[in-house]
Amino acid sequence: MKITLLIAPILLTMTACNTINSKKVALDYIDLSKQEQQNQLEQYWTLKKNIPPVYPVSAAANGKSGCVDVVFGINPEGKMEGYSIRSSYPKGVFDDAAVIAVSKWRWDPTQDNVAKKPVLTSVRLDFMLLKDANDAQFLANCPMAHS
């Protein structure tokens, strides 16, 4: 009984410390995720490291082409933080490859962004096999793929 009374306050203290330390600070992102706002990203961040996505082996083996539109945040350290898939074709086939690639990208703040303001932006990554370059279904779901 005495041991339980001794251990209980210690566990409560440890739990309280863990709760305080695990709180995340919410970042106030500038939303530049709409298509018409893409050019505004250059006012805040410059892409310094761009890793291309790896074409999924199963998609290549099955002759699949597609695209993924990823919305994500660029945090004050110039790294991707959080994401959502706005659209993808075919659904789910290229999503992981797109997110893995973007998570490796790095940005530098511009001279106008000395405060390193975080932004919410988006990018569309195309995964295309030559034989699908004029495929109607691909073009319908991934418009402006070759503009």
Side-chain angles (χ1 to χ4, degrees):
M1 181 75 168
K2 288 183 182 181
I3 294 175
T4 305
L5 291 175
L6 260 177
I7 293 175
I10 293 171
L11 287 175
L12 285 173
T13 304
M14 289 173 64
T15 304
C17 290
N18 285 339
T19 303
I20 292 169
N21 291 336
S22 66
K23 272 190 175 178
K24 280 198 153 208
V25 177
L27 296 176
D28 189 21
Y29 287 90
I30 299 167
D31 189 353
L32 304 175
S33 62
K34 294 185 177 118
Q35 286 291 333
E36 60 271 9
Q37 296 171 313
Q38 289 300 302
N39 59 345
Q40 294 178 22
L41 177 63
E42 295 170 359
Q43 296 173 18
Y44 297 93
W45 296 95
T46 302
L47 186 61
K48 74 173 181 179
K49 182 178 175 186
N50 179 349
I51 305 294
V54 175
Y55 211 101
V57 174
S58 61
N62 292 320
K64 296 219 182 264
S65 292
C67 56
V68 180
D69 188 1
V70 184
V71 177
F72 59 95
I74 300 174
N75 69 17
E77 288 78 40
K79 298 177 181 179
M80 180 183 98
E81 185 167 309
Y83 73 90
S84 68
I85 303 297
R86 183 170 20 211
S87 64
S88 66
Y89 171 80
K91 249 202 197 325
V93 173
F94 299 103
D95 297 10
D96 289 343
V99 170
I100 289 169
V102 176
S103 72
K104 295 177 182 178
W105 293 5
R106 297 295 178 261
W107 293 264
D108 281 332
T110 62
Q111 290 179 347
D112 295 334
N113 189 16
V114 291
K116 299 181 179 181
K117 295 176 185 171
V119 299
L120 188 65
T121 189
S122 65
V123 67
R124 190 182 86 190
L125 298 175
D126 292 322
F127 297 81
M128 189 169 61
L129 296 173
L130 289 178
K131 71 179 192 102
D132 286 341
N134 295 309
D135 179 68
Q137 199 171 19
F138 172 74
L139 293 172
N141 288 284
C142 301
M144 299 177 355
H146 351 283
S147 58

